[in-house]
Amino acid sequence: MRVILLHQYYKTPEEGGGIRSWYLCRALKEAGHEVQVVTAWNKEESETVSVDGYPVHYLSVHYSNDLGFFRRIWSFTAFFVAAYKKVNSLSRPDFIYAISTPLSIGALAKWIRWRKSIPYLFEVGDLWPDVPAQMGYLRNPLLIRIIKSLELSTYKSAKAIVAMSPAMVDYFNDLGHGNKTICVTNFSDLTLTNTPSHEKERTDSFTVAYIGTLGKANHLSYLIDLAEEAQKRGLKNFRCIIMGEGAEEPLLKKMIAERGLSNVSLLPHSAKPTAINVLKSASMAYLSFGPYDKLWKGSPNKYFDALAIGKPILCNFGGWIAEEISAKKCGITYNPIDPRSFFETNWASLQKPGALKKMGENARTLAEKSYALDKQIPKWLSLFSR
């Protein structure tokens, strides 16, 4: 089976960030399929590189989290054009596997299907245009309707839809696509526990660590608010670590300085093993989204990484993940608008001997039973034998 995987943000463990597409390509390769990746990078020249024995075609299309809305649209459009030309130059595949976001990836797959009669499978990580509209990036009602129409037609034309959360499965069921939708969440790679840890967990401090994008959607001012409340209360053992890069980084630095916070460390984006080391040294992993319930339907990889290493989770949003954390007792949720509530309601119980250990054990059990690679990958591979 020949597969071309389209993903504008393909990353390897050495690069860090979300590496889901790297896992998928590895699975295809190990199953005996032929896979090629068409992606983008910020270098000036396009180049084809061999990664783990398969070709990755890097196209020179700039993108970063700090781009404004119209520059993002330009980046998406440029990738659409360049990726179509690249696919045209390659041997004909049996399937196109398109990973969204952005929605333009789905439009590209649909265009290839129309021009070359190649079926495509469409993976949906966030709902477009619902998410950018709710966040205020899309305001024009006519433009929203046009993009919504493109979204619905992309689902209709896909041979199969991969929903990355149970909440998204419900969405596609409501649209009438339940018969061709499969749920394949992000993965809990249980081998992450084998990563040599150079940072030991400190027993004299309570550290909350956020590892990921520093964007508007993540609203990390919530974590700054938590750190400030701890400092006001004189809790010298409470610390926060924020590790990553994104558009909100200058704002976060400014907030830390203006509030005189000595209990927050801002660390640069790093490779996956380094990020996991930092997470291992923390008391709890922090999951953060702003007040955008459309985003809460997603499948953030930081959640599954935390489960894999048995790390208790502190979550500041609602939706299916918050419900699961509560049901499986692998962490806690709190109202980020009122950081006092965390300390008044949860702080004392988290200090009890064994409390964090038990949550961590529950997290690891959930990873093993539901989200380990050997639970999710076979479901996904079955798509290519239908």
Side-chain angles (χ1 to χ4, degrees), residues 65 171 183 185 213 365:
N65 184 258
Y171 176 77
C183 182
T185 66
T213 304
T365 298

Side-chain angles (χ1 to χ4, degrees), residues 126-199:
D126 287 319
L127 299 177
W128 275 54
D130 295 12
V131 167
Q134 189 176 48
M135 292 180 65
Y137 289 123
L138 279 176
R139 299 179 185 274
N140 185 295
L142 177 58
L143 182 58
I144 292 173
R145 284 200 297 271
I146 291 173
I147 298 177
K148 190 70 177 178
S149 176
L150 173 61
E151 176 204 16
L152 298 178
S153 67
T154 302
Y155 300 152
K156 184 177 180 180
S157 298
K159 177 178 175 62
I161 298 170
V162 177
M164 289 181 62
S165 74
M168 284 190 174
V169 171
D170 293 340
Y171 176 77
F172 292 119
N173 283 337
D174 290 343
L175 291 176
H177 298 310
N179 62 328
K180 64 176 180 179
T181 298
I182 183 172
C183 182
V184 182
T185 66
N186 263 319
F187 312 125
S188 287
D189 184 351
L190 302 182
T191 66
L192 293 178
T193 57
N194 300 330
T195 304
S197 183
H198 304 296
E199 298 193 34

Side-chain angles (χ1 to χ4, degrees), residues 273-285:
T274 302
I276 293 299
N277 274 342
V278 171
L279 195 58
K280 282 183 177 180
S281 71
S283 307
M284 300 189 81

Side-chain angles (χ1 to χ4, degrees), residues 234-280:
L235 300 175
K236 295 183 179 180
N237 67 328
F238 184 93
R239 298 196 57 79
C240 296
I241 295 174
I242 299 174
M243 184 181 208
E245 61 185 2
E248 297 288 292
E249 185 175 350
L251 173 62
L252 295 173
K253 288 181 177 178
K254 182 181 178 182
M255 293 176 68
I256 292 168
E258 288 181 346
R259 301 187 190 188
L261 300 179
S262 60
N263 58 357
V264 182
S265 298
L266 197 56
L267 305 180
H269 171 82
S270 297
K272 192 77 169 183
T274 302
I276 293 299
N277 274 342
V278 171
L279 195 58
K280 282 183 177 180

Side-chain angles (χ1 to χ4, degrees), residues 80 84 106-117 120:
F80 182 108
Y84 179 70
L108 171 59
K110 184 181 175 184
W111 179 256
I112 293 170
R113 175 183 177 274
W114 181 66
R115 293 299 301 269
K116 300 173 74 67
S117 298
Y120 69 92

